[in-house]
Amino acid sequence: MKIHFISPDGETTQTVESKAGDNLLDVAQNAGQPLEGTCEGQMACSTCHVIIARDWFDKLPAASEDEEDMLDLASGARRTSRLSCQIELTEALDGLVVHIPAESRNMQGV
């Protein structure tokens, strides 16, 4: 499976290989993308916030209420924002396009 990461300035695309069952945050971090994931997937920060391309957003399972609450605190959040730690990749997401936001806000104050 391929995941396409778009840089904050929109100028650079990095395509990486992944497999079904992988966590999007782990894939991004292993590819060197600038996502902290400070809370290690516990939904206690928004440092793994990403913006999913519109064409792909509806293919994801709906965000939980807890995730939506944390996204309300994410810097630069948009309608298609998600926490990458909450996205488990499936075969249906082969080709997923993920935009890296220009800034992040660490809600843990670390």
Side-chain angles (χ1 to χ4, degrees):
M1 294 178 35
K2 295 188 184 313
I3 306 298
H4 308 285
F5 293 102
I6 311 295
S7 64
D9 64 8
E11 297 294 318
T12 305
T13 302
Q14 179 185 20
T15 300
V16 299
E17 293 290 330
S18 65
K19 61 185 184 307
D22 285 349
N23 178 277
L24 182 58
L25 175 60
D26 294 338
V27 171
Q29 288 178 329
N30 289 336
Q33 293 296 319
L35 299 177
E36 286 182 51
T38 304
C39 73
E40 299 178 355
Q42 301 302 307
M43 282 194 295
C45 73
S46 60
T47 61
C48 70
H49 163 234
V50 293
I51 301 163
I52 304 298
R54 284 190 181 122
D55 295 350
W56 288 95
F57 186 76
D58 291 332
K59 295 178 182 183
L60 297 174
S64 69
E65 187 174 327
D66 288 340
E67 182 180 355
E68 291 285 350
D69 289 345
M70 191 53 57
L71 284 167
D72 287 341
L73 303 172
S75 183
R78 299 182 187 168
R79 187 187 78 73
T80 61
S81 289
R82 292 293 302 267
L83 297 180
S84 60
C85 69
Q86 298 302 301
I87 299 175
E88 182 178 317
L89 298 172
T90 64
E91 291 293 333
L93 297 176
D94 185 18
L96 179 67
V97 176
V98 179
H99 296 267
I100 303 299
E103 57 189 75
S104 67
R105 183 178 300 142
N106 183 346
M107 301 312 300
Q108 290 185 330
V110 178

